[in-house]
Amino acid sequence: MNKGEILQYFDKGYGNKYKVYAPSIKSEKDNYFFIVKDNKEKYLLVFAKIDVSREFSGKVLEEQKLDGNEIAIKICSLNHHNLSLLREIFPFLNPSFCGLRPSFGTGDRLGIATPAHLKAFKDKNIFPILAQQSVREMARTERNWQKVLDDVIWGCFEAGYEGPFGADADHVKKIEDLKEAADCGFTMFTLDPSDFIRNDIGRLDKQELDQLYNQIPNSKEIKKLYLGKSYKVNGKELIFDEKSLKEITLTYSEAINHVVKCYEFLKDYKKSNFDLEISVDETPTVTSPLAHLFVVLEFKRRGVNFQNLALHFLGDWQKGIEYIGEVKQFAKEFSLHVAIAKKIGGYKLSLHTGSDKFSVYPIFARETEGFYHIKTAGTSWLEEAKVVAMKDPALYREIHRFALENFGKDRASYNLTTDLSRIPDIDTIPDGELINLFKKNDSRQLIHITYGSILRAKDDKGKYIFKDRIYKVLFQYEEDHYRELSNHIRRHLELLELKRRER
Ligand SMILES: [Zn+2]
């Protein structure tokens, strides 16, 4: 039987109960696999030879002799076991190495956004990093590496996507987390050494600075390598004088040691090629061009093979809203960073907190000539919350009130200028205008940063207060969910397109 006949046969017998995701139909020899849904859930449908179908866990709908073959139709849950079998049959379902291609990460906190993300990437020459979650986000959403990756792969399968895509274990601070992510099949690792970056060095006087510097085991070597050395970038001279060299070394040396340790672990442990990102963005210290130069030279010297580098760029980078600061000023300093990256070569610059930074995207893409990676996450959650506001205003109002109560405690780990008093009273906004809350910075950030509290909130019987209902709305209004989300991510991607010169 061919694909059309399989569909027809299934539709005749089960069409009143299950809807087929037509793009998902994949075949291997005479065995067919696709995603279907009833009015509550999605499933994997196995339409295959009986012995093949037996490996999948699920419920047999029928066993039949068709075209001389003993076949089974089996309805299976979207679990890890079934997905592992599918990944063996269809290797394109495995994430892969990205390298220096332009790339874009779409964090997905609810784990149901991948088909929408893929729609946004269609015909764009940008490598999608579809799985991307940080250790912190996983704690807040009660997920784990395996779940994050599995959800994305099911999404790829549903959309009929045959790759490629990457999987980024984001902001990892500990080797044990790297190990777990590697075990689950992640292909990209973002090392976050921020706990080892010193932010107090600028306050030291000369004597303290000298004293601390001399305590660094390889201080003499560093001095010999860099002191007085100048680097010409973009017609500008970057020089390591005594003070700047000591300050930069003290600020970053422990962090560099930590990165080297993590890299060596990964190199030994991960058998296949992987992408490595080093991120020093989540510290109060803005990365100066000279500091950028220093850390990169040190990583190269110590044999760390990395693809992406995330710096703390000039300006105010807040979650889920536009860039705050002088775009021109940013562009000026950024061009220096790009020049350094070009001079040293072999890596891309990575922009974190990339959600909704529409004004800097064209600069980022143009200046880097396509050697960029960008991360977004919260903006997908905001689009999902927006769809809840559109389709179930009462639920959204509950979420909004809850977010207001929790904002004070949840804002602690973020850099924000949110002013709750500027958000209109939720009780006076008509249903049809709730959507406008997602156009304003204060109300966007209110929902953005409280996502963990919202998703984890339980009543006294231990039942989720919002989470299950949010999933239900997005399941019921899936077309709206996919449309709003893919349009929004597409707005990001359209600003990044350009012809790129190889270097
Ligand atoms: Zn970051």
Side-chain angles (χ1 to χ4, degrees):
M1 280 171 104
N2 64 28
K3 192 166 145 179
E5 289 163 341
I6 295 281
L7 266 185
Q8 217 172 27
Y9 185 93
F10 181 79
D11 205 44
K12 217 167 121 198
Y14 306 96
N16 57 349
K17 182 150 189 236
Y18 299 106
K19 177 186 164 282
V20 175
Y21 287 80
S24 71
I25 303 174
K26 297 286 170 209
S27 65
E28 188 258 350
K29 296 184 192 129
D30 287 331
N31 305 310
Y32 287 81
F33 307 87
F34 48 95
I35 300 286
V36 301
K37 72 168 172 183
D38 61 16
N39 53 13
K40 277 208 188 75
E41 235 179 294
K42 294 181 190 179
Y43 309 88
L44 169 69
L45 200 290
V46 178
F47 198 124
K49 294 210 185 83
I50 288 184
D51 56 329
V52 172
S53 78
R54 284 211 174 111
E55 296 187 35
F56 289 83
S57 68
K59 195 176 92 194
V60 176
L61 296 179
E62 64 177 273
E63 289 185 350
Q64 204 49 271
K65 203 162 179 149
L66 286 176
D67 290 354
N69 284 326
E70 299 275 343
I71 65 106
I73 303 178
K74 202 164 176 180
I75 191 116
C76 307
S77 70
L78 304 187
N79 62 31
H80 181 67
H81 168 78
N82 290 337
L83 188 62
S84 304
L85 293 172
L86 276 188
R87 285 172 68 177
E88 267 173 49
I89 301 171
F90 303 110
F92 57 75
L93 291 175
N94 296 307
S96 58
F97 178 67
C98 168
L100 297 183
R101 285 174 276 185
S103 50
F104 189 92
T106 49
D108 170 14
R109 289 168 182 166
L110 293 177
I112 52 174
T114 294
H117 287 155
L118 283 169
K119 215 167 132 202
F121 278 102
K122 197 166 187 299
D123 302 324
K124 296 271 172 242
N125 203 6
I126 298 173
F127 189 99
I129 305 289
L130 299 171
Q132 172 212 288
Q133 198 142 77
S134 66
V135 176
R136 182 173 74 186
E137 280 174 303
M138 289 196 304
R140 290 184 180 169
T141 53
E142 300 175 314
R143 301 173 83 210
N144 55 51
W145 297 124
Q146 197 66 67
K147 179 97 179 94
V148 168
L149 188 56
D150 284 2
D151 286 344
V152 161
I153 299 176
W154 281 119
C156 289
F157 190 73
E158 176 193 313
Y161 184 64
E162 299 195 2
F165 68 98
D168 175 8
D170 196 9
H171 277 286
V172 182
K173 297 185 171 186
K174 293 190 209 136
I175 286 184
E176 63 208 68
D177 289 321
L178 289 174
K179 181 173 179 294
E180 252 186 76
D183 287 341
C184 292
F186 275 72
T187 54
M188 172 170 167
F189 303 89
T190 299
L191 304 179
D192 178 353
S194 56
D195 292 347
F196 299 92
I197 296 175
R198 288 189 68 150
N199 293 296
D200 58 341
I201 298 300
R203 290 195 291 272
L204 304 177
D205 63 28
K206 188 173 179 312
Q207 205 188 347
E208 291 169 312
L209 189 67
D210 288 345
Q211 202 182 8
L212 268 180
Y213 182 78
N214 292 331
Q215 285 169 13
I216 299 177
N218 63 343
S219 61
K220 286 209 179 91
E221 188 188 9
I222 294 284
K223 232 173 167 174
K224 222 168 118 190
L225 282 164
Y226 299 104
L227 185 62
K229 262 212 165 173
S230 83
Y231 296 80
K232 213 167 178 163
V233 271
N234 247 10
K236 222 179 143 170
E237 196 103 330
L238 293 176
I239 304 171
F240 289 105
D241 61 26
E242 179 135 7
K243 182 163 182 280
S244 62
L245 179 62
K246 284 180 178 170
E247 284 182 352
I248 290 171
T249 307
L250 279 169
T251 305
Y252 292 102
S253 72
E254 280 305 311
I256 291 169
N257 290 340
H258 180 68
V259 166
V260 171
K261 217 158 82 187
C262 291
Y263 170 71
E264 277 169 0
F265 166 78
L266 278 171
K267 201 180 61 172
D268 286 345
Y269 192 73
K270 181 91 184 156
K271 299 291 172 259
S272 50
N273 229 353
F274 61 89
D275 291 290
L276 186 74
E277 171 157 328
I278 300 162
S279 83
V280 295
D281 67 308
E282 290 206 358
T283 60
T285 309
V286 172
T287 323
S288 68
L290 199 60
H292 171 185
L293 184 62
F294 178 77
V295 297
V296 169
L297 289 170
E298 277 297 281
F299 290 140
K300 295 268 169 181
R301 184 174 76 86
R302 297 181 64 178
V304 179
N305 179 14
F306 63 100
Q307 282 64 41
N308 301 340
L309 179 69
L311 305 172
H312 183 162
F313 295 115
L314 204 65
D316 194 354
W317 302 85
Q318 297 192 19
K319 300 285 174 187
I321 61 170
E322 253 293 4
Y323 174 75
I324 300 175
E326 277 294 327
V327 175
K328 269 195 188 144
Q329 189 79 30
F330 162 76
K332 209 174 134 207
E333 177 140 321
F334 184 63
S335 70
L336 206 50
H337 283 299
V338 172
I340 293 169
K342 235 190 253 186
K343 190 180 175 81
I344 308 291
Y347 65 98
K348 301 181 284 184
L349 288 175
S350 176
L351 179 67
H352 288 203
T353 315
S355 293
D356 306 277
K357 304 295 180 294
F358 300 113
S359 64
V360 302
Y361 272 32
I363 300 168
F364 212 80
R366 193 180 57 235
E367 290 283 331
T368 60
E369 295 174 344
F371 284 78
Y372 65 76
H373 178 58
I374 292 180
K375 297 194 186 195
T376 65
T379 205
S380 289
W381 152 250
L382 280 175
E383 284 304 302
E384 287 161 333
K386 187 183 88 183
V387 173
V388 172
M390 286 159 62
K391 296 298 172 189
D392 190 343
L395 173 58
Y396 177 75
R397 285 177 205 282
E398 277 182 60
I399 292 171
H400 187 100
R401 285 187 203 101
F402 178 85
L404 285 171
E405 283 166 30
N406 285 273
F407 185 80
K409 120 183 117 58
D410 287 351
R411 72 172 300 161
S413 61
Y414 292 99
N415 154 42
L416 299 167
T417 49
T418 314
D419 180 352
L420 295 184
S421 72
R422 288 189 294 226
I423 301 176
D425 181 358
I426 188 77
D427 295 323
T428 63
I429 309 173
D431 283 355
E433 286 170 29
L434 287 174
I435 194 175
N436 294 332
L437 290 168
F438 292 87
K439 294 178 187 151
K440 294 265 166 55
N441 288 354
D442 298 293
S443 34
R444 283 183 76 77
Q445 292 190 318
L446 166 70
I447 300 301
H448 188 298
I449 67 139
T450 51
Y451 72 93
S453 298
I454 293 167
L455 293 173
R456 287 195 318 268
K458 286 182 178 165
D459 63 19
D460 33 347
K461 288 188 196 98
K463 246 187 90 194
Y464 287 112
I465 302 176
F466 308 114
K467 189 181 189 169
D468 299 339
R469 286 190 288 162
I470 291 171
Y471 277 112
K472 211 172 149 194
V473 172
L474 296 175
F475 181 82
Q476 194 181 348
Y477 297 97
E478 187 170 86
E479 263 177 47
D480 303 86
H481 172 214
Y482 286 179
R483 183 195 61 241
E484 294 300 314
L485 183 47
S486 71
N487 285 346
H488 189 64
I489 293 297
R490 189 123 181 130
R491 270 182 74 202
H492 289 70
L493 298 177
E494 306 230 289
L495 292 167
L496 294 169
E497 271 194 311
L498 80 166
K499 283 227 162 61
R500 128 168 155 152
R501 261 178 292 154
E502 286 308 318
R503 67 170 194 242

